[in-house]
Amino acid sequence: MSALEPGLRLGPLVVDPVDPGAMKVVAILQDDPNPIHWDPTAAARVGLGDRVVNQGPITVSYLLELASRAAGGHAGVLRLDARFVRTVFAGDRVECCGVVMSVDLAAGTAELELNGAVDGHPVVSATATISVTAPGDGRIGNTLNNDVDS
Amino acid sequence: MAYVVAARGGAPIALVMELLEAEPSACLFGELRFDFVAPLVIGQTYAVDARIVSVKRKRGRRFPVFDRVELRSRVADADTGAEVAVVTQVWLVARSEDPG
């Protein structure tokens, strides 16, 4: 039986600080040619300040993690649709929260709204569909309040 | 992992930028969508079919003129052909002029 019900709040999941080392690794993994992710002077050249820029997929991964915790594991996330609102930089503190919008027991799914913010300013928002029948660990209320050390 | 598979296996970022005749500094990530059918498994070989599905010229605040480019990558089990994930990216590519 799922503990998820409409209105249930998810998180916060906190990433503090956003790690520039992770950006370098991801840049290599995805063969990203954009130096704003590893060279602060490149970010400055295009008017983005003096800190390297978090890759969008890393920022989305924070919300994906929040959704997966609600689903009891990554296999329980069926869909995640994210929109980028604002740039995230190395050293930022990203706080991610969400809410269960609806639960369809017949379909075995729940719809979530998820948001990430830096200093109260939205940086990414998403909707997600998760399975409510996937094997969970029964610790939904606890696991959603963990911080993430990046 | 699905994004890395899609980016490395189907549509390397540098290749997409070359196709769009865009510099990295002119591109922003607008949206990113994952549809998961099955978990990706370490050690499994996947086939990725990536295509640019739409390019729409638009006007906005951040970029006065830009193209909204939708890129879709289908990740499938290389052995069975079964779809395991679809990754949809929307890039916003700044353009210096609007020929239309």
Side-chain angles (χ1 to χ4, degrees):
Chain A
M1 179 94 181
S2 170
L4 296 177
E5 57 184 29
L8 178 69
R9 300 214 168 265
L10 311 175
L13 182 150
V14 177
V15 179
D16 184 20
V18 171
D19 177 15
M23 299 177 202
K24 290 181 182 175
V25 172
V26 169
I28 293 168
L29 286 173
Q30 63 187 29
D31 202 13
D32 191 335
N34 197 339
I36 63 171
H37 303 304
W38 66 82
D39 180 1
T41 60
R45 269 199 305 274
V46 294
L48 291 171
D50 59 358
R51 292 182 289 163
V52 289
V53 175
N54 208 26
Q55 285 98 334
I58 299 180
T59 302
V60 168
S61 75
Y62 309 149
L63 299 185
L64 195 56
E65 176 63 23
L66 192 56
S68 71
R69 291 183 185 187
H74 291 89
V77 181
L78 307 177
R79 174 194 66 85
L80 187 136
D81 197 353
R83 180 182 296 268
F84 298 100
V85 179
R86 203 175 170 118
T87 305
V88 175
F89 297 94
D92 279 345
R93 178 184 187 274
V94 182
E95 183 166 324
C96 301
C97 297
V99 63
V100 178
M101 299 305 293
S102 64
V103 177
D104 184 340
L105 291 177
T109 59
E111 298 295 322
L112 313 178
E113 276 192 7
L114 307 165
N115 294 283
V118 173
D119 294 332
H121 299 291
V123 293
V124 62
S125 63
T127 60
T129 304
I130 62 171
S131 170
V132 295
T133 56
D137 59 11
R139 297 184 295 121
I140 288 172
N142 294 327
T143 57
L144 290 176
N145 289 306
N146 289 347
D147 290 352
V148 172
D149 295 322
S150 62
Chain B
M1 189 158 87
Y3 181 80
V4 171
V5 170
R8 284 302 287 253
I13 294 171
L15 173 61
V16 175
M17 287 186 176
E18 184 182 333
L19 289 172
L20 296 173
E21 297 179 346
E23 294 297 320
S25 61
C27 297
L28 280 180
F29 231 132
E31 301 166 34
L32 180 59
R33 174 180 170 127
F34 296 100
D35 291 280
F36 297 108
V37 179
L40 276 75
V41 179
I42 292 172
Q44 175 64 45
T45 301
Y46 294 100
V48 183
D49 175 69
R51 46 190 80 195
I52 294 171
V53 295
S54 69
V55 180
K56 293 178 182 169
R57 179 62 51 93
K58 299 177 91 75
R59 291 182 176 276
R61 282 178 300 176
R62 193 156 184 177
F63 294 144
V65 181
F66 65 96
D67 287 334
R68 181 187 187 278
V69 181
E70 185 170 332
L71 175 70
R72 190 168 299 152
S73 302
R74 178 182 179 271
V75 182
D77 185 311
D79 298 327
T80 66
E83 183 175 286
V84 297
V86 176
V87 180
T88 305
Q89 306 172 54
V90 172
W91 289 17
L92 310 180
V93 182
R95 299 303 191 190
S96 58
E97 58 184 34
D98 186 354

